[in-house]
Amino acid sequence: MTATARHAVVIGGGICGLATSHRLARAGMRVTLLEGSDQLGGLGTFFPWRDRWVERFYHCVMPTDDNLLGLLGELGLRDAIRWRPTRMGMIVDGAHHPFNSALDLLRFRPLGPLDRIRFGAISLLLRRLGKGRDLDTTRTEDWLRGLYGDKVWEDLLAPMFGSKFGPSFGNVPALYLWQRLGRERNVATRGYPEGGYKSLIDGLRTSIESHGGTVRTSVPVRQVSAEGDRARITLADNEILEADHLVSTVSLPLLRGLADADLAARLPGLRLPYQGVVNALFFLRRPLTGHYWTPVLRSGTDFDGVIEMSELAGVEAYGGRHLVYAMRYTDRESALYREDGDAIAARWAGQLVDLYAGIGLTAEDIEDVQVFKAPFVEPVYPLGFLTHQPPIEVAETPLLLATTAHVYPEVTSWNSSVGLANRVAGILTNA
Ligand SMILES: Cc1cc2nc3c(=O)[nH]c(=O)nc-3n(C[C@H](O)[C@H](O)[C@H](O)COP(=O)(O)OP(=O)(O)OC[C@H]3O[C@@H](n4cnc5c(N)ncnc54)[C@H](O)[C@@H]3O)c2cc1C
């Protein structure tokens, strides 16, 4: 059978499914991309706000995102990324601090003078200190507590990075953080696509279709099974598709719910906990402090970070308003995740006003609040995950897995998803 005759079905129209489908269609394979919701983009998707489209979750491109930038180059969209210098702040115990330069650190009152110097020196050396070490089997807490000392770990690092993985952050492999520091080493410069992420998503769809692929939305997959070397995909309306290859980009817990008993028994046995996220978008009549990213520590808020998106994307994208995201990563079973979005919007708006009262923010400055949640953002990685990581190919089945669990130790991002898509397409096209 030739590559051109083979049919691949890709489940999930997030960046991983889009990039995989783009690669396979370009290689001449027959591709059908199935997205359950009525929109493509997955976690990078958007919603209509007034007469424009706005991302539900804050997103930016890093200068080190080589896989993503390579893909955008192929689509003719690389020049659509607008790069800007961005700044970081830190709010600790309600007090605001800039956090960008050596001078900022020397003036950073939450730490004593010696810890400030130690923090700066270790942070500069951290990438080098991790080289050649087995950080995959080293607990983040053990590594960072040892290097920075108890005070910095407990007062700053545990709450700051722990917000991503919850209370078990200290147990996550130190390798994850080390990789993250690598991705964000050029942290001052960030990119945002002209026309928003929708322009990238539209570009991918156009490319897939122009290479003969089929992109379908509002088609939730209800069941998948494998019969010999063929895959059988049943959609919610009972339509059945058959394929030579099935690529699933949906998270492993979701896929387990879709697989029939026979296929489920062949899936990786590892049960990973996943973090979800709650995001509130504040459309403001005025700017805040000019810091793109501000971790919020022990300041009486339910959210633990603030992203001043307009510092990167400008205000034109939001009809002259300043867009600010507030976020909290949390388990999908938590009380916060289950809470009604309107209640979260009202409470977080009050907390935002209190947090920025010092610069004169009032409730009247908030024109609109929108709340979005996502149940599966990324797994909470266990120690030694490199050896337990599920393989992409599910043995003796036509199924390939391309999920956020497969990008480890890279940070979950559009860039790492595109890298994973490249690997999956490489397997299927024998590139
Ligand atoms: C708050 C937040 C901020 C982030 N910031 C950044 C950032 O600044 N830069 C960056 O690069 N990345 C960022 N990310 C990470 C990035 O969004 C993800 O890593 C990436 O989008 C994952 O893509 P994916 O295709 O693997 O999964 P997803 O985007 O989750 O896509 C999976 C798709 O599968 C679909 N699906 C599920 N079930 C079914 C079914 N039964 N049938 C059919 N379809 C189904 C879903 O609807 C979804 O569209 C952020 C994520 C979050 C949540």
Side-chain angles (χ1 to χ4, degrees):
M1 195 179 279
T2 63
T4 46
R6 285 181 289 148
H7 180 209
V9 165
V10 178
I11 307 178
I15 181 60
C16 193
L18 285 164
T20 304
S21 304
H22 159 83
R23 281 269 168 277
L24 295 178
R26 257 176 51 129
M29 201 176 272
R30 199 180 135 218
V31 178
T32 307
L33 173 62
L34 304 173
E35 166 56 40
S37 74
D38 60 359
Q39 264 177 212
L40 297 172
L43 293 172
T45 202
F46 41 82
F47 70 101
W49 190 74
R50 311 242 161 114
D51 58 346
R52 43 204 90 215
W53 299 101
V54 177
E55 283 85 47
R56 293 180 186 186
F57 305 101
Y58 57 91
H59 273 71
C60 71
V61 184
M62 294 300 209
T64 47
D65 285 351
D66 295 337
N67 295 318
L68 177 60
L69 292 169
L71 174 68
L72 298 183
E74 284 169 29
L75 298 170
L77 290 171
R78 196 178 172 128
D79 292 341
I81 305 296
R82 296 281 170 259
W83 299 99
R84 278 199 188 180
T86 57
R87 295 171 56 73
M88 179 179 172
M90 184 91 85
I91 303 179
V92 186
D93 298 319
H96 293 240
H97 309 271
F99 207 70
N100 298 286
S101 63
L103 195 60
D104 290 344
L105 184 57
L106 285 173
R107 291 174 175 158
F108 188 66
R109 282 197 307 279
L111 296 179
L114 282 180
D115 276 332
R116 292 178 206 166
I117 293 169
R118 185 172 180 178
F119 183 90
I122 298 289
S123 299
L124 273 179
L125 291 172
L126 200 59
R127 283 287 293 168
R128 216 174 310 153
L129 289 170
K131 266 201 182 121
R133 286 200 51 165
D134 181 8
L135 294 181
D136 181 45
T137 57
T138 306
R139 294 174 68 240
T140 298
E141 176 172 352
D142 293 343
W143 193 49
L144 295 186
R145 203 188 262 277
L147 288 172
Y148 285 100
D150 293 340
K151 174 112 180 108
V152 175
W153 167 259
E154 276 158 25
D155 289 1
L156 207 63
L157 298 178
M160 190 173 146
F161 292 114
S163 62
K164 188 89 188 260
F165 288 112
S168 52
F169 169 64
N171 296 324
V172 168
L175 185 59
Y176 179 89
L177 185 79
W178 189 76
Q179 286 285 132
R180 179 169 169 177
L181 294 171
R183 177 169 186 260
E184 295 179 8
R185 64 177 178 262
N186 208 346
V187 74
T189 300
R190 287 184 160 85
Y192 183 79
E194 204 174 289
Y197 273 69
K198 185 176 187 300
S199 64
L200 309 186
I201 294 162
D202 289 347
L204 277 158
R205 180 181 196 145
T206 303
S207 165
I208 296 164
E209 290 176 340
S210 70
H211 288 95
T214 303
V215 178
R216 297 177 62 182
T217 53
S218 304
V219 281
V221 171
R222 189 166 57 78
Q223 193 181 57
V224 291
S225 58
E227 280 158 28
D229 59 357
R230 301 273 296 164
R232 200 176 151 90
I233 302 102
T234 309
L235 305 184
D237 65 358
N238 289 330
E239 180 186 345
I240 292 174
L241 304 180
E242 293 206 354
D244 303 287
H245 307 289
L246 177 60
V247 179
S248 171
T249 70
V250 302
S251 63
L252 292 170
L254 280 180
L255 180 62
R256 251 181 227 111
L258 299 180
D260 74 347
D262 193 42
L263 188 58
R266 292 161 189 256
L267 291 177
L270 189 70
R271 305 273 161 159
L272 292 167
Y274 275 71
Q275 277 291 69
V277 76
V278 177
N279 245 22
L281 287 72
F282 296 95
F283 293 87
L284 303 182
R285 297 194 171 90
R286 51 158 294 171
L288 291 181
T289 58
H291 295 135
Y292 173 76
W293 179 42
T294 306
V296 181
L297 279 53
R298 300 185 300 276
S299 299
T301 59
D302 292 339
F303 50 85
D304 41 32
V306 170
I307 305 280
E308 296 179 35
M309 197 65 204
S310 293
E311 293 304 313
L312 177 62
V315 292
E316 301 76 28
Y318 314 113
R321 297 295 167 240
H322 298 259
L323 175 57
V324 167
Y325 291 83
M327 102 299 258
R328 169 76 174 263
Y329 290 89
T330 181
D331 187 279
R332 62 191 178 283
E333 301 296 339
S334 69
L336 174 65
Y337 193 89
R338 288 158 169 254
E339 192 179 352
D340 171 66
D342 289 343
I344 296 174
R347 192 173 65 256
W348 286 23
Q351 293 175 355
L352 191 80
V353 167
D354 289 347
L355 196 63
Y356 288 90
I359 59 159
L361 185 73
T362 67
E364 288 66 47
D365 293 321
I366 303 178
E367 186 170 305
D368 189 22
V369 191
Q370 302 277 336
V371 172
F372 293 99
K373 304 173 187 174
F376 298 100
V377 175
E378 66 183 323
V380 181
Y381 303 105
L383 270 192
F385 192 53
L386 281 182
T387 40
H388 303 299
Q389 197 166 27
I392 289 177
E393 290 175 273
V394 180
E396 293 167 26
T397 76
L399 176 62
L400 289 90
L401 305 175
T403 75
T404 46
H406 293 83
V407 302
Y408 177 87
E410 283 188 56
V411 180
T412 46
S413 66
W414 273 42
N415 184 60
S416 54
S417 287
V418 173
L420 178 60
N422 292 348
R423 279 160 60 203
V424 170
I427 293 171
L428 291 184
T429 57
N430 298 317

